[in-house]
Amino acid sequence: MRTPYRSLLMLSMILPAALAQAADSTSTSQTMAIKDIEARLHQLEQQLSQAKIADAQAAAKAAREKQSAHHFEFHGYARSGLLASDHLTPTQGGVNITPAGSSGGHVGRLGNEKDTYVELNFEDHQSFANGAKVRYKVMMADGQDSYNDWTASTSQLNVRQVFVEMSHLPSFTGVFKDSTLWAGKRFDRNNFDIHWLDSDVVFLAGTGGGIDNVKWSNQAHSSFSIYGRNFDDITSNTIQNYTLTANNYYGPWQLMLNTMRSQNNQQRSNTGLGSSHATDSGVNGMLAYHAKSFYGLTQGSAMIAFLYGHGLGAEVKNIGSDGKLLDSANTYRLATYGTVRLTPIWSIAPALMVQRSHNRYLNGDKYDWATANLRLNQQLTENFSMQYETTYQYMDINPQQLNGNSAVKGSFYKVTIAPTFRPTAFKSFFDRPEIRLFATYMNWSQDLNHYSSSDALGGSGFHSGGQVNVGVQMETWF
Amino acid sequence: MRTPYRSLLMLSMILPAALAQAADSTSTSQTMAIKDIEARLHQLEQQLSQAKIADAQAAAKAAREKQSAHHFEFHGYARSGLLASDHLTPTQGGVNITPAGSSGGHVGRLGNEKDTYVELNFEDHQSFANGAKVRYKVMMADGQDSYNDWTASTSQLNVRQVFVEMSHLPSFTGVFKDSTLWAGKRFDRNNFDIHWLDSDVVFLAGTGGGIDNVKWSNQAHSSFSIYGRNFDDITSNTIQNYTLTANNYYGPWQLMLNTMRSQNNQQRSNTGLGSSHATDSGVNGMLAYHAKSFYGLTQGSAMIAFLYGHGLGAEVKNIGSDGKLLDSANTYRLATYGTVRLTPIWSIAPALMVQRSHNRYLNGDKYDWATANLRLNQQLTENFSMQYETTYQYMDINPQQLNGNSAVKGSFYKVTIAPTFRPTAFKSFFDRPEIRLFATYMNWSQDLNHYSSSDALGGSGFHSGGQVNVGVQMETWF
Amino acid sequence: MRTPYRSLLMLSMILPAALAQAADSTSTSQTMAIKDIEARLHQLEQQLSQAKIADAQAAAKAAREKQSAHHFEFHGYARSGLLASDHLTPTQGGVNITPAGSSGGHVGRLGNEKDTYVELNFEDHQSFANGAKVRYKVMMADGQDSYNDWTASTSQLNVRQVFVEMSHLPSFTGVFKDSTLWAGKRFDRNNFDIHWLDSDVVFLAGTGGGIDNVKWSNQAHSSFSIYGRNFDDITSNTIQNYTLTANNYYGPWQLMLNTMRSQNNQQRSNTGLGSSHATDSGVNGMLAYHAKSFYGLTQGSAMIAFLYGHGLGAEVKNIGSDGKLLDSANTYRLATYGTVRLTPIWSIAPALMVQRSHNRYLNGDKYDWATANLRLNQQLTENFSMQYETTYQYMDINPQQLNGNSAVKGSFYKVTIAPTFRPTAFKSFFDRPEIRLFATYMNWSQDLNHYSSSDALGGSGFHSGGQVNVGVQMETWF
């Protein structure tokens, strides 16, 4: 009876080995597969982490470069085209075509410009590791009535702006935290205009320095500047005018105050029926409201400004630029415009400018006028609109025979229709470029022909009774 | 006899557990490895998909920016260098040095230029989400004979071009699908030249507007434009000329037609032996063939153009720029050039221009001439070539004493050798920059000395009999 | 006794199957997991390798573009601001305000500049697949005393530089391996200045060509050039001057040699007490040492230069620009400056320039002077420093009544304090931009009032006895 036991013992002896071998046969291939997989995974993970490191390094490098690098920007404005009479002959045009023009009474510009005017802006922007930023700007400009491509003999090319701005200066804190220091020759950054009259509401420019955006609160901030300007010579003695400016903002409100001084300028004298000496000082101010709606009525934009100036300040737009003003000169000006989209097709932009300026260059003279302008855009296709503009201006001007000019009273009006091409659908009146064809009809009171023998109105072939001008023009800014 | 059964039963009872345990012992470690692997895989897959999302976002952002962003380009042309006699003294030079020059009879330019001429092009390119594209270009240029670095007193710096082009306008379809609208001051984009004579074949430029590339078929397209130009004054009354242009292409053929009108220009009169009044209208046309081979003989390029002009159109190159032309003026001009690489070392560019222009400014005058020019390039090293240029010009000019100039007949020739440096091996005659040294020998018929007392030929120290000029010059465009 | 055997046989038969099945049950799920993992791994690996290929392609594309592309750079210099008397009236200023100024005797510039001067540099850089590099540079510049923003009538805008440089030309080897070829109109690249006197030590400029950096050894290299310049006219016959230059460097040492020739210039005559004819040739030279320390004493920088010129070379700074010099003219000039940071707060920059120039325009005349200048910077905050500058100049000038000017002897001094704003903490005297306020006190010997009736000193309201000027100014370069 031993055999079975022996066989059992034998069996119990072979079992483990058999089991192990049986299990191994399948698991070995798996183990190898896993080893292989783990190797490949390791590679992948390394590659990914290397890629990440490379990305991080690139980003860091870009950031470093951005901090130290100079960044160039090219900006500009230009208009150029043909303006001709309806017989394709030379004609007259321009926003200051009327007797009111010389004292700021512009008429609408659409279909009424004959020049090629270009502004080239070259800017160098720099930002530093400490957060400070520097902006350097140079503007060159030229204005030309010649249609020729070589205009060296009549070139007006000149440098209108050269200035440096410094901002985000880490050591500037408190109300100066967001301030910008500047010096050089420039257009003041707080200037603004009524585009359709090609007239700034206030245009402060010259050479000097100042600080912008002294921030009293989230609502209130101010700018302070000094600007120098030159008047033409009196007996080879150049007169300089210095204007001190404070621009104060509270929400939509802007209050600008200017005081100016021009020593020895009272040596200057103007002559006409009488003779008056210029003044050597002046003040002016502007209260403006910049609305984000169309006069509170509907979506759109609007601006209202009231300006007053006395003495050298009586030129209320081109601050400190007119050296012939009298000590008794007083000018009041109201300027407003708005833009609104009436329908997906129709948009309109009305504008109004009214001035009363007395004792300006000679005692008893007056330069009073009112200009109403309306521009409409009728969107027809994505790239084509019809634009319409009409201007009415009334003027009552008595220069007291300054420069031999005569007192006149009367009105001027123009109507323009301008098929206009744009790269994209009309969004606002402030998108450019535009390429326009246009036809303009203008007429005026006969009396205006007699203001001056050398001005446009009443000039040869340009008398009251109706004039038609046609042309093609481009306008762009960016 | 039970024992074996019991042992068997016992055995059958322990077997499954033993088996399971044996298998597990290896498989557990594997399972854990797999779990770990799956976790790592999941991470990797997530990282990759995140990376992909980031890439996609970046690409989309770049695309968006590209659509809205302004893209600046700087382009230019310039030549500057010294031109002196072989004793290093001031000398005469220029492509229009002969009596034929004033009517377009240029001689070869190599080793024959004394000026510093520069064109600066500043371009702003914009592309919009709707596919529309805008190109704005301003060109400033200056030409100077002074070698000094401060030339304010003689500066000719002026703005030669300011225009806007709009293309790819989505609402333009059919034949206008690929058209470009433009307005402003410009050189017409269809102008082309014979470089070695520094002479355009046709140079239409001025201020106006038009439409380019109205596409009738894959073979045929046209451009239509109006250009205004100014003539100088007659009794303070500026005359303007208006040119209507149609440029029509069919394959390699170009047919250009111009008609011009300049009201009141007949008030202008030219005087010499007789006196003639200018005209107020004109026409001209050009038929040109632009070949992609060297006159059909071998690889290279060639162009042949025949021009005819009448009245104000009798200035066949500078379209509408010459206000002194008579109603009876007739000009015929043939212009051709080709370029070919003869061997890896030698390349040549022959050119020919012939003109017959009668009754131009005074009845009975004539400005007839023929110019043959040949430029060769001998490539010696990757950066150095020898260039050779020879010009022969025959002229028969009778100005009828206009401006006191006398009738002359005769020939002029010049030979120039110019060691030339380039950044890369010579590929074509139209690659720049080049820096060249040169020596030029020129001679001419004695008769030509007597054309004018104020022109170069016959001037002090510059008489027929042979002149040698030497110099160094750079030329570039990009 | 068979039963046990049978049961054993049976058992040995079922064992393997049982074993296999047991092992499989666990391993099947693992095998499937592994298969799945392998699939996912394969995907990942493919994605990664595709990403790598894309990266490589992008890098290659960027490299290709970089090789062929044009790279634009905008650089510039500008200063602009107000300079007024302490009563805000027009005043006199400028580094050449004294009688020594016309012969190069500049005084310190800080708080002593009244102009808006701007240089605009437009550069096109090109690099080619063969390693060659091209640099094209155009500089426009304008200088203006007018504060107005529209200065067309007094614009000095002109093109001061237009040149091409070629370097890394593969076929240039040996000593020419690192050489740069150039031609055009330019400021020589080896010019250098004393900034605080706004005076170059040597200013070679004009139109010509040359080769820079012919490398004899790691220590020694040379530049060779020819420059042309124009003198003003003598009886409508423009005179040109040609200057041959060799600039040789050995370590910190620079030896510059110039020889010039201006045929027919001896026709020019200067008149005063006597009359003398100009010369038609000249030579000059400069030995300079450019130190990397403050005169070997401490960290900083320093430069010492000795210049001698004879004949047309007696204008030792503006090489070849003065056509009135006599054959017997001799000028000796010593120029040196250094900069050093004394403490984290204080940095100083002393400068000295001394000249002896006899028989310059008339026999027996003399233009002798010595100028000492010191500028200090006191760093107060990261963005604000006080700058101080003082100049003392002694002059002994006897023009022999040239242009009616009288012999004078005496001294001039000025002291300036200038609160200065910078975007970052002061690092060196050569970082810009700066925006400065300043007040300057200047005084001079009464005798100097009598030098000329048309110069600044002694002019109306600008007499010896002390003058105070104030102003604001920006200065930048990049």
Side-chain angles (χ1 to χ4, degrees):
Chain A
M1 300 288 176
R2 280 184 191 136
T3 338
Y5 287 97
R6 230 185 289 113
S7 59
L8 270 179
L9 285 173
M10 178 191 73
L11 181 60
S12 58
M13 277 155 64
I14 61 164
L15 251 177
L19 288 170
Q21 190 223 332
D24 284 357
S25 63
T26 37
S27 71
T28 316
S29 63
Q30 292 175 347
T31 314
M32 289 174 69
I34 291 169
K35 290 251 173 306
D36 167 50
I37 287 167
E38 282 171 323
R40 287 157 65 190
L41 257 182
H42 185 63
Q43 268 195 343
L44 281 179
E45 288 165 334
Q46 277 188 322
Q47 290 170 355
L48 262 193
S49 68
Q50 284 160 5
K52 276 189 201 152
I53 290 162
D55 289 353
Q57 288 170 335
K61 182 155 173 290
R64 276 199 308 280
E65 281 169 350
K66 198 169 166 221
Q67 277 182 329
S68 61
H70 291 266
H71 165 57
F72 172 76
E73 287 184 17
F74 176 56
H75 298 286
Y77 170 86
R79 63 174 175 265
S80 180
L82 291 175
L83 182 75
S85 80
D86 50 351
H87 331 85
L88 278 189
T89 54
T91 188
Q92 304 286 352
V95 293
N96 53 8
I97 194 174
T98 70
S102 65
S103 56
H106 289 190
V107 298
R109 77 194 302 174
L110 187 64
N112 187 30
E113 295 175 311
K114 58 193 298 193
D115 60 339
T116 290
Y117 177 73
V118 54
E119 291 176 348
L120 295 134
N121 296 312
F122 304 102
E123 298 192 10
D124 178 70
H125 294 249
Q126 211 177 344
S127 53
F128 296 87
N130 68 353
K133 295 189 183 307
V134 168
R135 174 172 167 246
Y136 169 67
K137 174 173 181 168
V138 183
M139 173 194 280
M140 284 190 284
D142 182 42
Q144 272 300 325
D145 276 1
S146 169
Y147 293 152
N148 294 346
D149 63 292
W150 183 265
T151 55
S153 61
T154 54
S155 177
Q156 298 289 299
L157 197 58
N158 72 106
V159 176
R160 295 197 72 181
Q161 298 191 76
V162 192
F163 66 86
V164 162
E165 285 179 340
M166 296 183 187
S167 62
H168 303 77
L169 300 179
S171 69
F172 277 42
T173 56
V175 298
F176 300 112
K177 187 173 176 312
D178 300 325
S179 299
T180 298
L181 288 178
W182 70 269
K185 176 177 292 196
R186 74 176 297 174
F187 303 167
D188 191 77
R189 84 170 191 178
N190 297 311
N191 296 342
F192 60 96
D193 71 337
I194 298 182
H195 173 71
W196 306 280
L197 300 178
D198 190 15
S199 173
D200 282 84
V201 174
V202 58
F203 181 72
L204 175 64
T207 305
I211 182 166
D212 279 321
N213 199 29
V214 179
K215 210 164 179 179
W216 312 115
S217 75
N218 287 341
Q219 286 286 312
H221 58 94
S222 300
S223 299
F224 305 99
S225 313
I226 180 170
Y227 279 93
R229 288 191 66 91
N230 285 40
F231 296 153
D232 50 2
D233 286 3
I234 308 172
T235 65
S236 83
N237 167 20
T238 295
I239 305 294
Q240 292 170 351
N241 177 72
Y242 294 87
T243 301
L244 287 166
T245 299
N247 244 308
N248 307 288
Y249 293 85
Y250 188 85
W253 291 95
Q254 175 184 6
L255 176 64
M256 182 187 199
L257 298 171
N258 304 295
T259 168
M260 54 212 71
R261 175 152 183 286
S262 179
Q263 206 183 47
N264 302 328
N265 192 53
Q266 66 282 1
Q267 296 168 25
R268 190 187 309 275
S269 79
N270 312 319
T271 56
L273 290 182
S275 164
S276 306
H277 276 266
T279 181
D280 61 355
S281 66
V283 296
N284 66 24
M286 174 186 69
L287 182 66
Y289 185 86
H290 303 274
K292 290 195 168 44
S293 72
F294 183 70
Y295 296 103
L297 300 173
T298 169
Q299 284 195 331
S301 69
M303 177 283 304
I304 307 177
F306 177 73
L307 302 94
Y308 166 73
H310 177 73
L312 284 180
E315 168 49 53
V316 292
K317 178 179 76 174
N318 300 308
I319 309 297
S321 69
D322 189 341
K324 298 187 170 58
L325 293 157
L326 306 187
D327 188 36
S328 53
N330 278 305
T331 302
Y332 305 84
R333 185 181 286 189
L334 174 74
T336 182
Y337 77 83
T339 68
V340 59
R341 183 158 213 160
L342 296 176
T343 74
I345 288 173
W346 289 95
S347 301
I348 68 168
L352 178 72
M353 201 181 273
V354 183
Q355 169 172 296
R356 181 181 188 282
S357 185
H358 290 191
N359 303 319
R360 198 173 164 88
Y361 304 121
L362 289 168
N363 285 315
D365 66 13
K366 62 175 170 179
Y367 297 83
D368 301 348
W369 45 259
T371 308
N373 189 77
L374 181 68
R375 188 180 286 201
L376 293 90
N377 189 85
Q378 178 187 18
Q379 173 78 10
L380 296 178
T381 78
E382 183 171 0
N383 301 112
F384 183 71
S385 292
M386 293 299 291
Q387 286 195 99
Y388 310 89
E389 187 181 85
T390 178
T391 288
Y392 173 80
Q393 180 179 72
Y394 175 79
M395 66 211 82
D396 177 0
I397 306 216
N398 181 352
Q400 295 286 336
Q401 289 294 320
L402 182 76
N403 308 325
N405 294 343
S406 309
V408 292
K409 201 182 296 192
S411 59
F412 169 98
Y413 69 93
K414 86 180 238 313
V415 181
T416 300
I417 175 168
T420 302
F421 297 92
R422 297 189 180 94
T424 57
F426 176 87
K427 280 186 292 295
S428 96
F429 283 100
F430 303 109
D431 291 327
R432 294 294 179 273
E434 289 179 355
I435 290 179
R436 325 159 179 140
L437 303 164
F438 55 77
T440 294
Y441 173 79
M442 52 174 73
N443 203 354
W444 55 91
S445 314
Q446 261 197 335
D447 193 24
L448 302 185
N449 291 340
H450 310 123
Y451 174 68
S452 160
S453 56
S454 61
D455 71 347
L457 305 192
S460 74
F462 205 74
H463 292 84
S464 172
Q467 290 286 339
V468 176
N469 289 338
V470 299
V472 55
Q473 187 192 38
M474 71 85 167
E475 188 184 40
T476 189
W477 60 67
F478 58 90
Chain B
M1 298 290 174
R2 279 181 190 140
T3 341
Y5 284 100
R6 236 182 282 116
S7 60
L8 268 181
L9 286 173
M10 178 192 72
L11 181 60
S12 60
M13 276 156 66
I14 61 163
L15 251 179
L19 287 170
Q21 189 224 333
D24 284 357
S25 64
T26 40
S27 73
T28 316
S29 64
Q30 293 176 349
T31 313
M32 290 174 66
I34 290 168
K35 290 251 172 306
D36 166 54
I37 288 168
E38 282 171 324
R40 288 157 64 189
L41 256 182
H42 184 63
Q43 267 196 343
L44 279 179
E45 286 164 337
Q46 276 188 321
Q47 291 171 355
L48 260 194
S49 69
Q50 284 160 5
K52 275 188 201 153
I53 290 162
D55 289 355
Q57 288 169 334
K61 182 155 172 291
R64 276 199 308 280
E65 280 170 349
K66 202 175 167 212
Q67 276 182 329
S68 62
H70 291 265
H71 165 57
F72 172 75
E73 286 185 17
F74 175 57
H75 298 286
Y77 169 86
R79 62 174 177 266
S80 179
L82 292 176
L83 181 75
S85 79
D86 50 351
H87 331 84
L88 278 190
T89 55
T91 187
Q92 304 287 351
V95 292
N96 53 8
I97 195 175
T98 71
S102 66
S103 57
H106 289 188
V107 297
R109 76 194 299 175
L110 188 64
N112 188 30
E113 295 176 310
K114 58 193 297 193
D115 61 338
T116 291
Y117 178 74
V118 54
E119 290 177 349
L120 294 134
N121 296 312
F122 303 102
E123 298 192 11
D124 178 72
H125 294 249
Q126 212 177 345
S127 54
F128 296 87
N130 67 355
K133 296 190 183 305
V134 168
R135 174 173 168 245
Y136 168 67
K137 175 173 182 169
V138 183
M139 172 194 280
M140 283 190 284
D142 182 42
Q144 272 301 325
D145 276 359
S146 169
Y147 293 152
N148 293 346
D149 65 292
W150 183 266
T151 55
S153 60
T154 54
S155 176
Q156 298 289 298
L157 198 58
N158 73 106
V159 176
R160 297 197 71 181
Q161 298 191 77
V162 192
F163 66 86
V164 162
E165 285 179 341
M166 296 183 188
S167 61
H168 302 77
L169 300 179
S171 67
F172 277 42
T173 56
V175 296
F176 300 112
K177 188 174 177 309
D178 300 326
S179 298
T180 298
L181 288 177
W182 71 268
K185 177 177 291 197
R186 74 177 297 176
F187 303 167
D188 192 75
R189 84 170 190 179
N190 297 312
N191 296 342
F192 60 97
D193 72 337
I194 298 183
H195 174 70
W196 306 279
L197 300 177
D198 190 16
S199 173
D200 282 83
V201 174
V202 58
F203 181 73
L204 175 64
T207 305
I211 182 165
D212 279 320
N213 199 30
V214 179
K215 210 164 179 179
W216 311 114
S217 75
N218 288 341
Q219 285 287 312
H221 58 93
S222 300
S223 299
F224 305 98
S225 314
I226 180 170
Y227 280 92
R229 287 191 68 91
N230 286 40
F231 296 153
D232 49 3
D233 287 3
I234 309 173
T235 65
S236 82
N237 166 22
T238 295
I239 305 293
Q240 292 170 354
N241 177 72
Y242 294 87
T243 302
L244 287 167
T245 300
N247 244 311
N248 308 287
Y249 294 85
Y250 188 86
W253 291 94
Q254 175 184 6
L255 176 64
M256 182 187 200
L257 298 171
N258 304 294
T259 168
M260 54 211 71
R261 174 152 184 287
S262 178
Q263 205 183 49
N264 303 328
N265 193 54
Q266 66 280 0
Q267 296 169 24
R268 190 187 308 274
S269 79
N270 312 319
T271 57
L273 291 181
S275 163
S276 306
H277 276 267
T279 181
D280 61 354
S281 67
V283 296
N284 67 24
M286 174 185 69
L287 180 66
Y289 185 87
H290 303 273
K292 291 198 165 45
S293 72
F294 183 71
Y295 297 103
L297 301 173
T298 168
Q299 285 196 330
S301 70
M303 176 283 304
I304 307 177
F306 176 74
L307 301 96
Y308 166 73
H310 176 73
L312 284 180
E315 168 49 52
V316 293
K317 179 179 76 175
N318 299 308
I319 309 296
S321 70
D322 189 340
K324 298 188 171 56
L325 292 156
L326 306 187
D327 188 36
S328 53
N330 278 305
T331 302
Y332 306 83
R333 186 180 286 188
L334 174 73
T336 182
Y337 77 83
T339 68
V340 60
R341 183 157 213 160
L342 295 177
T343 74
I345 289 174
W346 288 95
S347 301
I348 68 167
L352 177 71
M353 200 180 274
V354 183
Q355 170 172 295
R356 180 180 189 282
S357 185
H358 290 190
N359 305 316
R360 197 172 164 90
Y361 304 122
L362 289 169
N363 286 315
D365 66 13
K366 61 175 170 179
Y367 297 84
D368 301 347
W369 44 260
T371 308
N373 190 78
L374 181 68
R375 189 179 287 200
L376 295 90
N377 190 86
Q378 177 186 19
Q379 174 77 11
L380 295 179
T381 79
E382 183 172 1
N383 302 111
F384 183 70
S385 292
M386 293 300 289
Q387 285 194 98
Y388 311 88
E389 187 181 84
T390 179
T391 289
Y392 173 82
Q393 180 179 73
Y394 175 80
M395 66 212 81
D396 177 0
I397 308 228
N398 181 353
Q400 295 286 336
Q401 289 294 319
L402 182 77
N403 308 324
N405 294 343
S406 309
V408 293
K409 203 182 293 192
S411 59
F412 168 98
Y413 69 94
K414 85 178 238 314
V415 181
T416 300
I417 177 168
T420 302
F421 297 92
R422 297 190 180 92
T424 57
F426 176 87
K427 279 186 292 296
S428 97
F429 283 100
F430 302 109
D431 292 326
R432 294 294 179 274
E434 289 179 355
I435 290 179
R436 323 160 181 139
L437 303 166
F438 54 78
T440 294
Y441 174 79
M442 51 175 75
N443 203 356
W444 56 90
S445 314
Q446 262 197 335
D447 192 24
L448 302 184
N449 291 341
H450 310 122
Y451 175 69
S452 160
S453 56
S454 61
D455 70 347
L457 304 192
S460 74
F462 205 74
H463 293 83
S464 171
Q467 290 286 340
V468 176
N469 290 337
V470 298
V472 55
Q473 187 192 41
M474 72 85 167
E475 187 184 41
T476 190
W477 61 69
F478 58 91
Chain C
M1 298 295 173
R2 277 176 192 150
T3 340
Y5 285 99
R6 232 183 286 113
S7 58
L8 269 181
L9 286 172
M10 179 190 71
L11 179 61
S12 60
M13 276 156 65
I14 61 164
L15 251 178
L19 286 170
Q21 189 222 336
D24 283 357
S25 65
T26 38
S27 70
T28 317
S29 64
Q30 294 175 348
T31 313
M32 290 174 68
I34 291 169
K35 290 250 172 307
D36 165 54
I37 288 167
E38 283 173 321
R40 287 157 63 189
L41 255 183
H42 185 63
Q43 267 196 342
L44 279 179
E45 288 165 335
Q46 276 188 322
Q47 291 170 354
L48 260 194
S49 68
Q50 283 159 6
K52 275 191 203 151
I53 290 162
D55 289 354
Q57 288 169 334
K61 182 155 171 291
R64 275 199 309 279
E65 281 169 350
K66 197 167 171 226
Q67 276 181 332
S68 62
H70 291 266
H71 165 57
F72 172 75
E73 286 185 17
F74 175 56
H75 298 286
Y77 169 86
R79 62 174 177 267
S80 179
L82 292 176
L83 181 75
S85 80
D86 51 350
H87 331 84
L88 278 190
T89 55
T91 188
Q92 304 286 351
V95 292
N96 53 8
I97 195 174
T98 70
S102 67
S103 56
H106 289 190
V107 298
R109 76 194 301 175
L110 187 65
N112 188 30
E113 295 175 309
K114 59 194 297 193
D115 61 338
T116 291
Y117 177 73
V118 54
E119 290 176 349
L120 295 135
N121 296 312
F122 304 101
E123 298 192 11
D124 179 71
H125 295 248
Q126 210 177 346
S127 53
F128 296 87
N130 68 355
K133 296 190 183 306
V134 168
R135 174 173 169 245
Y136 169 67
K137 174 173 181 169
V138 182
M139 174 194 280
M140 283 189 286
D142 182 42
Q144 272 300 325
D145 277 359
S146 169
Y147 293 152
N148 294 346
D149 64 292
W150 183 266
T151 54
S153 61
T154 54
S155 176
Q156 298 289 298
L157 198 57
N158 72 106
V159 176
R160 296 197 72 180
Q161 298 191 76
V162 191
F163 65 87
V164 162
E165 285 179 340
M166 297 182 187
S167 62
H168 302 78
L169 300 180
S171 69
F172 277 42
T173 56
V175 297
F176 300 112
K177 188 173 176 311
D178 301 325
S179 298
T180 299
L181 288 177
W182 70 269
K185 177 178 290 197
R186 73 177 297 173
F187 304 167
D188 192 75
R189 83 169 191 179
N190 297 312
N191 296 341
F192 60 97
D193 72 338
I194 298 183
H195 173 72
W196 307 278
L197 300 178
D198 190 16
S199 173
D200 283 84
V201 173
V202 59
F203 181 72
L204 174 64
T207 306
I211 183 165
D212 279 322
N213 198 29
V214 179
K215 210 163 180 179
W216 313 115
S217 75
N218 288 341
Q219 285 287 311
H221 58 94
S222 300
S223 298
F224 305 98
S225 313
I226 180 170
Y227 280 93
R229 287 192 68 91
N230 286 39
F231 296 152
D232 50 1
D233 288 3
I234 308 173
T235 64
S236 83
N237 167 21
T238 295
I239 305 293
Q240 291 170 354
N241 177 72
Y242 293 87
T243 302
L244 287 167
T245 299
N247 244 310
N248 309 287
Y249 293 86
Y250 188 86
W253 291 94
Q254 174 184 7
L255 176 63
M256 182 188 199
L257 299 171
N258 303 295
T259 168
M260 54 211 72
R261 175 153 184 287
S262 179
Q263 205 184 47
N264 303 327
N265 192 54
Q266 66 282 1
Q267 297 168 22
R268 188 187 311 274
S269 79
N270 312 317
T271 57
L273 291 182
S275 163
S276 306
H277 276 267
T279 180
D280 62 354
S281 66
V283 296
N284 68 23
M286 175 185 69
L287 181 65
Y289 185 87
H290 303 273
K292 290 196 167 45
S293 73
F294 183 70
Y295 297 102
L297 299 173
T298 168
Q299 284 195 331
S301 68
M303 177 284 304
I304 308 178
F306 177 73
L307 303 94
Y308 167 71
H310 177 73
L312 284 180
E315 169 50 53
V316 292
K317 178 178 76 174
N318 299 309
I319 310 296
S321 70
D322 189 340
K324 299 188 171 56
L325 292 157
L326 306 187
D327 189 36
S328 52
N330 279 305
T331 302
Y332 306 82
R333 185 180 287 189
L334 174 73
T336 182
Y337 77 83
T339 68
V340 60
R341 182 158 214 159
L342 295 176
T343 74
I345 289 174
W346 289 94
S347 301
I348 67 167
L352 177 70
M353 201 181 274
V354 182
Q355 169 173 296
R356 180 180 189 282
S357 184
H358 290 191
N359 303 318
R360 197 174 166 87
Y361 304 121
L362 289 169
N363 286 315
D365 67 12
K366 62 174 169 181
Y367 297 83
D368 301 347
W369 44 260
T371 308
N373 190 77
L374 181 67
R375 188 179 286 201
L376 294 90
N377 189 86
Q378 177 187 18
Q379 173 79 10
L380 295 178
T381 78
E382 183 171 1
N383 302 112
F384 183 71
S385 293
M386 293 298 291
Q387 286 194 96
Y388 310 89
E389 186 181 85
T390 178
T391 288
Y392 173 80
Q393 180 179 74
Y394 175 78
M395 66 211 83
D396 177 0
I397 307 220
N398 181 353
Q400 295 287 335
Q401 289 295 319
L402 182 76
N403 307 325
N405 294 342
S406 309
V408 293
K409 201 181 296 193
S411 60
F412 169 98
Y413 70 94
K414 87 179 238 312
V415 180
T416 301
I417 176 167
T420 302
F421 297 92
R422 298 190 179 92
T424 56
F426 176 88
K427 280 187 291 297
S428 97
F429 282 99
F430 302 110
D431 291 327
R432 294 294 179 274
E434 288 180 356
I435 290 179
R436 322 161 182 138
L437 303 166
F438 54 77
T440 295
Y441 174 79
M442 51 175 73
N443 203 354
W444 55 91
S445 314
Q446 261 198 334
D447 193 25
L448 302 184
N449 291 341
H450 310 124
Y451 175 68
S452 160
S453 57
S454 62
D455 71 348
L457 304 191
S460 74
F462 205 74
H463 292 84
S464 171
Q467 290 285 341
V468 176
N469 289 338
V470 298
V472 55
Q473 187 191 39
M474 71 86 168
E475 187 183 41
T476 190
W477 61 67
F478 59 90

